[in-house]
Amino acid sequence: MSERRESLGSRLGFIFLSAGCAIGLGNVWRFPYVTGKYGGAAFVFFYLLALAFLALPIMVMEFSVGRASRQSVVGSFQVLQPKGTHWGVFGYFGLAGNYILMMFYTVVTGWMLAYSWFSLSGVLAGLGTEVSAVGAYFDGLLASPGALAFWMVLTVLIGSLICMIGLQAGVERITKLMMAGLLVVMLALAVRSVTLPGAEKGIAFYLKPDFSNVMKQGLWSTIYSAVGQAFFTLSLGIGSMAIFGSYISRDRSLTGESVIITGLDTLVALVSGLIIFPACFAYGIQPNAGPGLIFVTLPAMFNHMPQGQVWSTAFFLFMSFAAMTTVVAVFEHLIASSMELLGWSRQKASVANFFIVSILALPCVFGFNVWSNVAPLGKGTIILDLEDFLVSNNLLPLGALVYLLFCVSRRGWGWENFLAEADCGEGMKFPSWLRGYLLYVVPLIIGVIIILGYYEKFFA
């Protein structure tokens, strides 16, 4: 299969695809409200430290496993594992993680597409400036299984059609366009936000560290949340990055490429804060309003602004681009895995996965309405919470731990093999002296993340 394997047409395509996979709702939705909750700039400080010392090395490892094996998550461990070991079993859990991720991610991405249309058509502008009116409209969308299913299926259809066109002609080319559009719209929105009257208070909240805010939430809670955000924003642990490593040449070292991709991901997250926080302070909106900030309070805020419909449309288009790049990237992984495991053509794998993902996402759709009485994790939870918990608190951190141990352990692929692959080509080399830190410290940090995730979910 590796001899006939498709490849990306350019280095920029690899960078944009990988960054597009990382850049998603975690950057433009979760990052701003978590930053608001934990006090602004002080949280960002811990987040950047966690990116550099935890997430980045694991990204290099995932890319290395993909490039060395020329396989998706299932085949990569089977190709590289030493004889007599069973690392390959994890590949099936990684593949399952991609499907579970799509079960709820496509639903939320559908909200972004819906709000792009509602903004463009003037529906949101017609709701006025009252938060209660916008909130009632959003509640109505969630209560309608038909409407939610329509936007979810449209999301899945777009992702499957892009992948069906081909790796270079579809996935690479269209992701480049979406990423370029995302960056342009993002910068325009940031300039508009920071020039609003009263925006300077939001800029100070966001960029000037105030550790007294950290103490209100608790230092360890803030650090844990920052580490979790850094870890989860890059989609590490289920092979979503490894698949793009399998498509590239060995001309460039993987550490340098990972730094660029992490930098792009971080840029989008940080500029998202520059879009949201100055605008919140300019219009007297609480920056820690939670997920409802995006779908309720911000649309009401846009209706206060001159040319608010234009800026609202641009904002939700930006959100849709960010979400769709992740959908396309994960869809490509599912299709590549189907092609390798079952010998399907790209077209057959695309059509089959369109129906599979559409059906699998229906429980999440129904969880907001006809199955809203189902509380899989206890009172007050919905089906989306269970799916997110399985991915975010289990498969992602455990998968990252598997990639880490596979690359540093003598019983896995091994440190020397990993370094040879990561350092192949021009560019920055991976620091070989980090082995002890990666073998003994990072697994402990990941273990703490998993334990605290369970504690926060069930006992806090």
Side-chain angles (χ1 to χ4, degrees):
M1 184 70 192
S2 60
E3 294 179 359
R4 297 181 286 108
R5 190 173 187 78
E6 296 173 277
S7 62
L8 295 169
S10 66
R11 180 190 179 199
L12 181 63
F14 165 68
I15 291 173
F16 270 11
L17 274 171
S18 302
C21 182
I23 294 168
L25 299 178
N27 302 72
V28 300
W29 179 18
R30 188 176 187 272
F31 178 79
Y33 84 75
V34 173
T35 303
K37 178 180 179 181
Y38 288 98
F43 174 86
V44 175
F45 170 76
F46 291 118
Y47 169 72
L48 294 176
L49 287 179
L51 272 178
F53 292 102
L54 175 63
L56 182 59
I58 297 176
M59 174 179 278
V60 179
M61 292 174 178
E62 191 165 325
F63 279 141
S64 298
V65 169
R67 189 169 71 172
S69 65
R70 298 292 177 186
Q71 297 282 319
S72 62
V73 66
V74 175
S76 59
F77 288 97
Q78 294 175 350
V79 168
L80 300 179
Q81 67 184 3
K83 290 184 178 179
T85 60
H86 303 284
W87 293 91
V89 172
F90 169 74
Y92 294 97
F93 287 95
L95 180 60
N98 283 270
Y99 277 110
I100 298 172
L101 176 63
M102 292 288 271
M103 288 167 67
F104 66 91
Y105 204 93
T106 53
V107 175
V108 181
T109 302
W111 301 351
M112 303 300 176
L113 295 180
Y115 265 59
S116 296
W117 169 247
F118 297 155
S119 295
L120 181 63
S121 63
V123 171
L124 291 183
L127 296 175
T129 58
E130 290 296 326
V131 171
S132 59
V134 182
Y137 190 82
F138 182 57
D139 290 340
L141 173 66
L142 297 184
S144 172
L148 283 188
F150 169 80
W151 291 107
M152 176 273 290
V153 171
L154 180 62
T155 299
V156 179
L157 179 63
I158 293 171
S160 61
L161 288 177
I162 291 172
C163 292
M164 185 185 293
I165 295 170
L167 180 62
Q168 289 189 22
V171 177
E172 182 176 356
R173 181 179 299 175
I174 295 174
T175 300
K176 282 182 182 179
L177 292 174
M178 285 195 291
M179 283 293 295
L182 184 153
L183 294 173
V184 170
V185 174
M186 175 184 73
L187 292 175
L189 284 165
V191 170
R192 180 69 184 99
S193 183
V194 300
T195 55
L196 289 169
E200 62 277 2
K201 294 181 181 179
I203 296 172
F205 171 82
Y206 186 45
L207 298 181
K208 183 180 178 182
D210 182 358
F211 288 93
S212 65
N213 287 331
V214 173
M215 297 306 156
K216 294 177 183 177
Q217 294 292 335
L219 177 61
W220 288 112
S221 180
T222 302
I223 293 174
Y224 158 69
S225 297
V227 171
Q229 176 66 24
F231 181 74
F232 299 128
T233 187
L234 296 178
S235 302
L236 300 174
I238 55 175
S240 298
M241 288 296 175
I243 188 64
F244 299 116
S246 75
Y247 289 142
I248 59 171
S249 71
R250 305 181 81 211
D251 295 338
R252 303 287 306 185
S253 70
L254 293 172
T255 303
E257 305 299 83
S258 298
V259 169
I260 294 172
I261 292 161
T262 303
L264 269 175
D265 177 81
T266 305
L267 173 68
V268 171
L270 294 177
V271 176
S272 295
L274 282 177
I275 294 169
I276 291 174
F277 291 116
C280 284
F281 277 81
Y283 288 96
I285 293 173
Q286 288 298 317
N288 59 347
L293 176 72
I294 300 297
F295 297 104
V296 179
T297 54
L298 286 186
M301 180 198 74
F302 284 124
N303 290 339
H304 278 285
M305 298 170 65
Q307 294 84 44
Q309 184 177 345
V310 173
W311 293 110
S312 177
T313 303
F315 177 77
F316 285 107
L317 189 64
F318 154 65
M319 299 285 286
S320 296
F321 281 158
M324 279 304 305
T325 54
T326 300
V327 169
V328 171
V330 178
F331 222 105
E332 173 60 27
H333 193 186
L334 298 178
I335 288 169
S337 297
S338 300
M339 293 165 66
E340 291 171 7
L341 291 172
L342 303 173
W344 287 350
S345 67
R346 175 171 285 273
Q347 288 69 30
K348 183 176 181 179
S350 299
V351 172
N353 278 284
F354 164 75
F355 286 105
I356 292 170
V357 173
S358 296
I359 293 170
L360 289 176
L362 287 176
C364 181
V365 169
F366 297 149
F368 291 97
N369 35 75
V370 295
W371 290 350
S372 59
N373 61 323
V374 178
L377 295 177
K379 186 178 180 180
T381 65
I382 56 177
I383 292 172
L384 182 147
D385 295 320
L386 172 62
E387 294 167 346
D388 182 40
F389 176 74
L390 290 174
V391 174
S392 299
N393 293 79
N394 294 274
L395 291 172
L396 285 176
L398 288 172
L401 183 61
V402 169
Y403 272 105
L404 174 66
L405 296 177
F406 188 63
C407 290
V408 301
S409 172
R410 294 183 178 89
R411 297 181 179 274
W413 187 33
W415 183 248
E416 297 302 325
N417 288 326
F418 158 67
L419 280 183
E421 185 62 46
D423 292 347
C424 182
E426 298 179 9
M428 185 185 303
K429 307 305 179 186
F430 193 90
S432 59
W433 49 268
L434 282 178
R435 184 175 185 271
Y437 163 75
L438 293 169
L439 182 59
Y440 298 110
V441 178
V442 176
L444 180 62
I445 295 173
I446 294 175
V448 170
I449 290 174
I450 295 171
I451 293 170
L452 288 178
Y454 268 79
Y455 175 81
E456 188 177 75
K457 180 65 67 175
F458 296 108
F459 302 106

